[in-house]
């Protein structure tokens, strides 16, 4: 059954897109945190871990960068504090593209950053229990829907679905696809839960590769003519090798930091490979 649907996903991709795949090695995108390592949420899957790999904006040296990912920690309501360093953000903007992570942004905050925004990456969560367990937020799916619609009215927005966000378990991911079919999208990024040291989910396992494959197939068939990307957040090692190759067979259009085996597979399948050097949403 899975093999049949995998073949259907591949045929769907080839029917709607040229035989080409883009591989992203985002050396030219500076990754900046507006809050340094501080985050009030301390959520179960991240715990501020990934902020440590970003440049604090007050120390940002982005010579040579052609674009920036502007992110940071959240406050207790799930909003990234986008206004606190806005003057510094403005000083980095000339000649560069900006991709923002904004969380559950308020309308007045969005209005302030829109002139400096090329695209927003929005983590779309479609399960109330997952929102409570992972983020500890007293928010609902309706809040995520309303924020997504607010963003779409103001700028280009690309929803991200984290497969296995609830500690490696599949929860609201299929519901997210259904909702996004109703709400509309232009592109979609899928990423995969990583058990991260120092977090409440550090002892969990990534979602089963078969479950991730089924989700990617469903995404391809749900959005036959929309570009779908495999983003940078996903497990490494043997898991990544298998996942990257399956993402190609599922008909995804872009992969960030692909493994060597995936590049080889793409060429064997007759896809022309294109190398990019920025974040995949640009």
């Amino acid at each position: 059954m899975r093999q049949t649907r995998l073949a259907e996903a591949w045929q769907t991709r080839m029917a709607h897109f040229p035989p080409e795949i883009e591989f992203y090695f985002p050396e030219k995108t500076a990754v900046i945190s507006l809050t340094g390592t501080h985050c009030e949420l301390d959520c179960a899957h991240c715990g501020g871990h990934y902020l440590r790999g970003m440049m604090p904006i007050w120390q940002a040296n982005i010579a040579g960068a052609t674009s920036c990912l502007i992110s940071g920690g959240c406050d207790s309501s799930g909003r990234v504090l986008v206004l606190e360093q806005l003057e510094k953000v403005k000083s980095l903007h000339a000649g560069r593209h900006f991709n923002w992570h904004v969380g559950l942004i308020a309308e007045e905050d969005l209005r302030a950053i829109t002139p400096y925004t090329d695209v927003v990456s929005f983590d779309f969560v479609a399960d109330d229990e997952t929102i409570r367990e992972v983020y500890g937020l007293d928010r609902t799916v309706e809040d995520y829907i309303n924020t997504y619609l607010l963003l779409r009215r103001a700028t280009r927005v690309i929803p991200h679905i984290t497969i296995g966000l609830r500690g490696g378990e599949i929860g609201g991911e299929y519901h997210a696809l259904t909702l996004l079919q109703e709400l509309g999208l232009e592109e979609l990024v899928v990423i995969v839960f990583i058990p991260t040291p120092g977090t409440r989910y550090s002892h969990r396992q990534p979602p089963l590769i078969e479950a991730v494959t089924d989700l990617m197939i469903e995404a391809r068939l749900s959005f036959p003519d929309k570009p779908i990307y495999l983003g940078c957040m996903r497990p490494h090692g043997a898991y990544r090798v298998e996942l990257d190759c399956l993402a190609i067979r599922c008909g995804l259009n872009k992969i960030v930091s692909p493994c060597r085996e995936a590049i080889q597979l793409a060429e064997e399948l007759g896809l022309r490979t294109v190398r990019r050097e920025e974040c995949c949403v640009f």
Side-chain angles (χ1 to χ4, degrees):
M1 177 65 177
R2 181 173 294 117
Q3 289 302 317
T4 301
R5 282 176 57 80
L6 196 59
E8 185 182 357
W10 173 257
Q11 290 162 6
T12 300
R13 179 244 198 274
M14 297 304 288
H16 289 88
F17 297 96
E20 176 181 296
I21 188 166
E22 296 178 56
F23 292 130
Y24 281 71
F25 301 87
E27 294 98 344
K28 292 188 175 179
T29 299
V31 182
I32 294 172
S33 171
L34 299 174
T35 64
T37 58
H38 177 71
C39 179
E40 290 185 31
L41 279 188
D42 188 29
C43 63
H45 80 104
C46 170
H49 175 91
Y50 295 100
L51 294 175
R52 297 176 208 152
M54 302 179 185
M55 282 187 282
I57 191 165
W58 49 87
Q59 296 175 357
N61 178 1
I62 61 171
T66 55
S67 57
C68 295
L69 168 60
I70 308 291
S71 187
C74 291
D75 67 7
S76 59
S77 66
R79 301 181 307 167
V80 176
L81 305 175
V82 297
L83 298 186
E84 290 193 356
Q85 299 287 339
L86 188 53
E87 290 305 312
K88 179 66 175 177
V89 170
K90 291 179 185 177
S91 72
L92 304 176
H93 186 244
R96 296 188 178 92
H97 304 293
F98 277 10
N99 170 26
W100 289 76
H101 283 179
V102 298
L104 296 168
I105 192 169
E107 186 167 3
E108 59 269 26
D109 291 359
L110 177 59
R111 195 177 305 120
I113 69 167
T114 296
Y116 315 100
T117 301
D118 295 280
V119 59
V120 167
S121 294
F122 181 66
D123 294 324
F124 191 85
V125 186
D127 178 65
D128 289 346
E129 285 301 315
T130 299
I131 294 167
R132 278 191 284 274
E133 179 179 311
V134 176
Y135 299 118
L137 287 171
D138 185 22
R139 298 289 199 122
T140 66
V141 174
E142 199 65 26
D143 293 308
Y144 281 80
I145 291 173
N146 290 336
T147 303
Y148 179 64
L149 293 175
L150 174 69
L151 290 167
R152 276 176 67 84
R153 289 195 293 271
T155 188
R156 177 174 167 241
V157 54
I158 301 181
H160 288 43
I161 295 177
T162 302
I163 304 174
L165 176 62
R166 195 173 178 181
E169 302 296 324
I170 302 298
E173 290 88 334
Y174 283 94
H175 186 43
L177 293 176
T178 301
L179 286 175
L180 288 169
Q181 280 184 297
E182 298 169 4
L183 300 169
L185 61 72
E186 304 309 317
E187 302 143 273
L188 174 67
V189 172
V190 295
I191 52 182
V192 181
F193 165 75
I194 304 173
T196 301
T199 68
R200 296 196 296 282
Y201 284 162
S202 62
H203 62 291
R204 302 290 184 92
Q205 295 296 316
L208 294 175
I209 203 86
E210 293 84 358
V212 178
T213 303
D214 289 344
L215 212 296
M216 292 192 296
I217 291 171
E218 187 67 23
R220 175 75 289 157
L221 297 179
S222 298
F223 304 100
D225 59 350
K226 304 297 185 186
I228 304 175
Y229 317 147
L230 182 60
C232 52
M233 296 292 290
R234 60 191 193 278
H236 292 274
Y239 188 102
R240 177 174 290 218
V241 171
E242 188 173 2
L243 173 63
D244 289 6
C245 292
L246 284 166
I248 292 171
R249 294 190 183 279
C250 289
L252 271 59
N253 305 87
K254 301 181 183 181
I255 300 179
V256 182
S257 302
C259 64
R260 177 172 42 81
E261 290 83 353
I263 298 172
Q264 184 177 347
L265 175 63
E267 292 170 345
E268 290 172 359
L269 292 173
L271 297 177
R272 187 172 77 89
T273 62
V274 178
R275 180 187 174 94
R276 306 289 189 198
E277 296 183 326
E278 293 187 302
C279 174
C280 65
V281 300
F282 293 118

